[in-house]
Amino acid sequence: MLEASFLGLSDRHAEEGTVSVWPAWEVREREGAWSWFHVRLAFDDGAQVDALAVLCGEQVSIEDVRAEPALSLDDLTALADWIEGPLFETCARADAACATGEGGEAAEFLASSRARPAWPRGVEGRRRVALEYRAAQEAGVDPVLAVMCATGHSRRRSLRLIAQARDAGFLTPRHARP
């Protein structure tokens, strides 16, 4: 058992830890696709961090983190610096494999998801947000996640775009008001 109460990532050096990244699964739906990766940061003293990262477009988000010993808030911030390079290298290798015809569906997804045109602004953008939102609803998937992947924006920004589409009349009101 480790004696430290927190891992102390910001106090450690790159030579002390090893980062491993491997694909977990991928989900494809219509125009959108998401790919999950397991990430493990291991140290010689037995300390370990396991994370689940999801790639959507050019954005990577961390969905789950487990650490022994526990991570402090500073450690959680430093975790991104530790795993960013190896995670993006894995994505780049998948892109290269796709370009050479190797690597299967995961490589195809990673290459295709990065070739997204800029999202239009104004009325056209709101109309397209509404189309993505309704298509996801009809397919039985999370419409906010579909808008996130289509636009490449964060959840907060995507929710704001959805609200703007509602205000513009492209989507029905969220709640009926008496």
Side-chain angles (χ1 to χ4, degrees):
M1 182 79 181
L2 297 170
E3 294 179 12
S5 60
F6 290 108
L7 189 57
L9 284 178
S10 54
D11 298 333
R12 294 181 182 248
H13 301 286
E15 303 81 38
E16 298 176 38
T18 305
V19 180
S20 304
V21 180
W22 61 97
W25 66 88
E26 70 179 28
V27 176
R28 292 173 159 262
E29 294 174 344
R30 294 192 181 200
E31 298 296 320
W34 302 269
S35 189
W36 280 263
F37 295 89
H38 289 291
V39 182
R40 176 168 289 156
L41 173 58
F43 295 95
D44 293 336
D45 64 358
Q48 181 172 301
V49 179
D50 288 310
L52 184 62
V54 63
L55 173 69
C56 181
E58 291 184 9
Q59 276 190 312
V60 175
S61 302
I62 302 297
E63 287 205 350
D64 187 32
V65 176
R66 296 175 191 219
E68 181 63 39
L71 295 175
S72 67
L73 289 176
D74 290 336
D75 289 342
L76 196 54
T77 303
L79 179 63
D81 295 332
W82 278 88
I83 67 173
E84 180 180 39
L87 187 56
F88 284 119
E89 284 175 23
T90 300
C91 294
R93 280 196 305 272
D95 281 344
C98 183
T100 61
E102 305 167 5
E105 288 184 27
E108 290 175 26
F109 156 68
L110 290 171
S112 67
S113 67
R114 290 200 170 103
R116 186 181 327 275
W119 195 259
R121 294 175 171 246
V123 175
E124 178 61 20
R126 291 183 194 110
R127 186 184 66 74
R128 286 184 50 194
V129 163
L131 289 173
E132 291 287 336
Y133 188 92
R134 282 193 300 255
Q137 278 184 323
E138 290 171 7
V141 298
D142 183 0
V144 177
L145 188 58
V147 171
M148 287 172 60
C149 288
T151 62
H153 290 302
S154 68
R155 184 171 187 84
R156 180 174 288 177
R157 177 71 177 127
S158 295
L159 286 169
R160 192 174 303 135
L161 291 172
I162 292 166
Q164 290 171 354
R166 285 188 197 289
D167 292 344
F170 292 114
L171 293 170
T172 58
R174 178 92 172 126
H175 300 287
R177 296 185 182 151

